[in-house]
Amino acid sequence: MTQQITLAGGCFWCIEGAFKQVRGVLKAESGYAGGHKENPTYEQVCAGETGHAEVVQITFEPTALSTREILEIFFALHDPTQLNRQGNDVGTQYRSAIFYQSEEQRVAAQDIIAEMRDEGTWNDEIVTEIEPLEKFWPAEDYHDNYVERNPQNAYCQAVVSPKLAKFKRTFAEKLE
Protein backbone atom coordinates (compact mmCIF):
# COMPACT_ATOMS: atom_id res chain seq x y z
CA MET A 1 0.00 0.00 0.00
CA THR A 2 1.40 3.39 -0.98
CA GLN A 3 1.57 6.52 1.14
CA GLN A 4 1.76 10.22 0.39
CA ILE A 5 3.46 13.11 2.13
CA THR A 6 3.51 16.71 0.95
CA LEU A 7 6.62 18.83 1.42
CA ALA A 8 7.40 22.53 0.98
CA GLY A 9 11.05 23.51 0.76
CA GLY A 10 11.29 26.51 -1.52
CA CYS A 11 10.79 26.28 -5.25
CA PHE A 12 8.99 23.05 -6.09
CA TRP A 13 11.06 22.42 -9.24
CA CYS A 14 14.08 21.40 -7.18
CA ILE A 15 12.23 19.24 -4.68
CA GLU A 16 10.32 17.48 -7.46
CA GLY A 17 13.46 17.00 -9.58
CA ALA A 18 15.26 15.31 -6.71
CA PHE A 19 12.48 13.03 -5.46
CA LYS A 20 11.65 11.76 -8.96
CA GLN A 21 15.06 10.06 -8.91
CA VAL A 22 14.65 8.30 -5.56
CA ARG A 23 14.05 4.56 -5.46
CA GLY A 24 10.68 3.88 -3.83
CA VAL A 25 9.10 7.15 -4.97
CA LEU A 26 6.29 6.35 -7.37
CA LYS A 27 5.29 9.95 -8.10
CA ALA A 28 6.47 13.45 -7.20
CA GLU A 29 3.94 16.10 -8.20
CA SER A 30 4.32 19.86 -7.86
CA GLY A 31 1.43 21.80 -6.43
CA TYR A 32 0.17 24.08 -3.70
CA ALA A 33 -0.94 23.50 -0.08
CA GLY A 34 -1.51 25.37 3.14
CA GLY A 35 -3.50 28.28 1.77
CA HIS A 36 -7.01 29.64 1.77
CA LYS A 37 -7.97 30.02 -1.91
CA GLU A 38 -9.66 27.32 -3.96
CA ASN A 39 -7.85 26.33 -7.18
CA PRO A 40 -4.89 28.69 -6.82
CA THR A 41 -2.79 29.53 -9.85
CA TYR A 42 0.99 29.85 -9.95
CA GLU A 43 0.70 33.59 -10.49
CA GLN A 44 -1.60 33.98 -7.46
CA VAL A 45 0.65 31.87 -5.24
CA CYS A 46 3.78 33.74 -6.37
CA ALA A 47 2.07 37.06 -5.68
CA GLY A 48 1.46 35.92 -2.10
CA GLU A 49 -2.31 36.27 -2.48
CA THR A 50 -3.38 32.77 -1.41
CA GLY A 51 -1.33 31.72 1.62
CA HIS A 52 -0.22 28.57 -0.20
CA ALA A 53 3.27 27.13 -0.25
CA GLU A 54 4.85 25.61 -3.34
CA VAL A 55 4.87 21.91 -2.46
CA VAL A 56 5.65 18.51 -3.86
CA GLN A 57 3.31 15.66 -3.07
CA ILE A 58 5.31 12.46 -2.90
CA THR A 59 3.66 9.10 -3.43
CA PHE A 60 5.95 6.36 -2.15
CA GLU A 61 6.17 2.69 -1.34
CA PRO A 62 6.86 2.52 2.43
CA THR A 63 8.41 -0.94 2.16
CA ALA A 64 11.10 0.53 -0.13
CA LEU A 65 11.47 4.00 1.43
CA SER A 66 10.53 5.11 4.92
CA THR A 67 9.02 8.42 5.96
CA ARG A 68 12.23 9.02 7.90
CA GLU A 69 14.33 8.58 4.75
CA ILE A 70 12.07 10.96 2.82
CA LEU A 71 12.47 13.56 5.55
CA GLU A 72 16.26 13.12 5.63
CA ILE A 73 16.35 13.83 1.88
CA PHE A 74 13.96 16.76 2.29
CA PHE A 75 16.11 18.42 4.95
CA ALA A 76 19.22 17.95 2.80
CA LEU A 77 17.52 19.72 -0.13
CA HIS A 78 16.74 23.02 1.59
CA ASP A 79 17.59 25.23 4.53
CA PRO A 80 14.87 24.75 7.17
CA THR A 81 16.11 27.77 9.14
CA GLN A 82 15.12 30.36 6.54
CA LEU A 83 11.72 31.83 7.36
CA ASN A 84 9.55 32.31 4.28
CA ARG A 85 12.42 32.03 1.83
CA GLN A 86 14.99 29.79 0.20
CA GLY A 87 18.00 31.70 -1.06
CA ASN A 88 16.81 34.46 -3.38
CA ASP A 89 13.24 33.11 -3.45
CA VAL A 90 11.37 35.19 -0.86
CA GLY A 91 7.77 34.95 0.32
CA THR A 92 5.51 32.67 2.34
CA GLN A 93 5.08 30.47 -0.74
CA TYR A 94 8.72 29.39 -0.24
CA ARG A 95 8.37 28.43 3.44
CA SER A 96 9.59 25.16 4.85
CA ALA A 97 6.67 22.90 5.76
CA ILE A 98 5.69 19.27 6.15
CA PHE A 99 2.04 18.56 5.40
CA TYR A 100 1.50 15.15 6.94
CA GLN A 101 -1.23 12.66 6.10
CA SER A 102 -0.89 10.28 9.05
CA GLU A 103 0.01 10.32 12.71
CA GLU A 104 3.15 8.31 11.90
CA GLN A 105 4.30 11.07 9.52
CA ARG A 106 3.61 13.79 12.11
CA VAL A 107 5.64 11.95 14.74
CA ALA A 108 8.49 11.26 12.29
CA ALA A 109 8.62 14.96 11.37
CA GLN A 110 8.65 16.06 15.02
CA ASP A 111 11.31 13.47 15.87
CA ILE A 112 13.74 14.39 13.09
CA ILE A 113 13.41 18.11 13.83
CA ALA A 114 14.02 17.47 17.54
CA GLU A 115 17.09 15.36 16.69
CA MET A 116 18.51 18.05 14.40
CA ARG A 117 17.97 20.67 17.13
CA ASP A 118 19.59 18.46 19.79
CA GLU A 119 22.56 17.66 17.53
CA GLY A 120 23.00 21.27 16.41
CA THR A 121 22.72 20.29 12.75
CA TRP A 122 21.84 23.89 11.88
CA ASN A 123 23.33 27.03 13.41
CA ASP A 124 19.96 28.79 13.44
CA GLU A 125 16.51 27.76 14.69
CA ILE A 126 14.55 25.33 12.49
CA VAL A 127 11.35 27.06 11.33
CA THR A 128 9.77 24.17 9.41
CA GLU A 129 6.02 24.05 9.95
CA ILE A 130 4.35 20.70 10.62
CA GLU A 131 0.66 20.61 9.84
CA PRO A 132 -1.97 18.23 8.50
CA LEU A 133 -2.61 18.36 4.78
CA GLU A 134 -6.03 19.86 4.22
CA LYS A 135 -5.95 20.07 0.43
CA PHE A 136 -3.36 19.58 -2.30
CA TRP A 137 -3.87 21.54 -5.49
CA PRO A 138 -1.82 20.23 -8.45
CA ALA A 139 0.29 22.86 -10.19
CA GLU A 140 -0.23 23.72 -13.82
CA ASP A 141 0.99 21.06 -16.27
CA TYR A 142 3.98 23.10 -17.43
CA HIS A 143 5.57 22.63 -13.98
CA ASP A 144 5.74 18.83 -14.40
CA ASN A 145 9.34 17.73 -14.94
CA TYR A 146 10.20 21.41 -15.35
CA VAL A 147 13.93 21.10 -14.74
CA GLU A 148 14.24 18.09 -17.03
CA ARG A 149 12.31 19.84 -19.81
CA ASN A 150 13.96 23.26 -19.36
CA PRO A 151 17.66 22.71 -18.67
CA GLN A 152 18.51 25.98 -20.48
CA ASN A 153 16.39 28.05 -18.05
CA ALA A 154 18.68 30.45 -16.18
CA TYR A 155 17.14 29.63 -12.76
CA CYS A 156 17.52 25.90 -13.43
CA GLN A 157 21.16 26.34 -14.44
CA ALA A 158 22.14 28.67 -11.59
CA VAL A 159 20.11 27.26 -8.69
CA VAL A 160 18.49 23.90 -9.39
CA SER A 161 21.23 22.06 -11.31
CA PRO A 162 23.97 22.60 -8.67
CA LYS A 163 21.54 21.58 -5.92
CA LEU A 164 20.56 18.41 -7.80
CA ALA A 165 24.22 17.55 -8.50
CA LYS A 166 24.98 17.76 -4.77
CA PHE A 167 21.84 15.71 -4.04
CA LYS A 168 22.98 12.96 -6.46
CA ARG A 169 26.39 12.75 -4.76
CA THR A 170 24.92 12.69 -1.26
CA PHE A 171 22.14 10.17 -1.92
CA ALA A 172 23.64 8.06 -4.72
CA GLU A 173 22.71 4.79 -2.98
CA LYS A 174 19.00 5.77 -2.90
CA LEU A 175 18.66 6.69 -6.57
CA GLU A 176 17.06 4.71 -9.36
Side-chain angles (χ1 to χ4, degrees), residues 3-164:
Q3 290 186 23
Q4 289 183 324
I5 191 167
T6 305
L7 306 172
C11 177
F12 48 32
W13 298 337
C14 181
I15 303 293
E16 178 198 68
F19 274 103
K20 283 190 175 214
Q21 301 176 56
V22 176
R23 193 177 322 109
V25 171
L26 305 175
K27 185 177 183 182
E29 182 178 12
S30 292
Y32 315 107
H36 54 78
K37 181 170 177 39
E38 299 279 315
N39 296 306
T41 66
Y42 182 66
E43 290 75 21
Q44 291 167 333
V45 172
C46 286
E49 299 173 5
T50 69
H52 289 88
E54 289 191 14
V55 299
V56 176
Q57 187 165 79
I58 299 162
T59 304
F60 64 101
E61 179 54 58
T63 59
L65 185 68
S66 70
T67 299
R68 170 71 185 218
E69 290 171 307
I70 287 173
L71 294 174
E72 288 172 353
I73 293 167
F74 171 65
F75 282 112
L77 287 172
H78 80 293
D79 182 345
T81 69
Q82 292 189 337
L83 184 62
N84 298 328
R85 73 175 304 144
Q86 283 300 301
N88 292 329
D89 294 332
V90 179
T92 58
Q93 68 270 27
Y94 300 115
R95 67 188 179 268
S96 176
I98 299 166
F99 296 94
Y100 62 87
Q101 295 184 33
S102 70
E103 180 65 10
E104 179 260 336
Q105 290 177 358
R106 183 189 66 76
V107 170
Q110 289 176 328
D111 288 351
I112 195 168
I113 288 172
E115 288 171 25
M116 288 189 301
R117 283 183 179 140
D118 292 347
E119 294 169 2
T121 304
W122 299 92
N123 292 330
D124 296 317
E125 185 68 22
I126 296 169
V127 296
T128 303
E129 300 171 359
I130 302 172
E131 57 187 86
L133 178 68
E134 291 182 17
K135 178 70 176 170
F136 170 79
W137 300 98
E140 295 81 354
D141 289 345
Y142 69 89
H143 293 291
D144 292 338
N145 299 309
Y146 189 87
V147 176
E148 187 178 300
R149 292 184 299 105
N150 297 281
Q152 76 291 350
N153 176 285
Y155 182 87
C156 292
Q157 288 179 352
V159 177
V160 181
S161 292
K163 194 178 269 196
L164 290 178

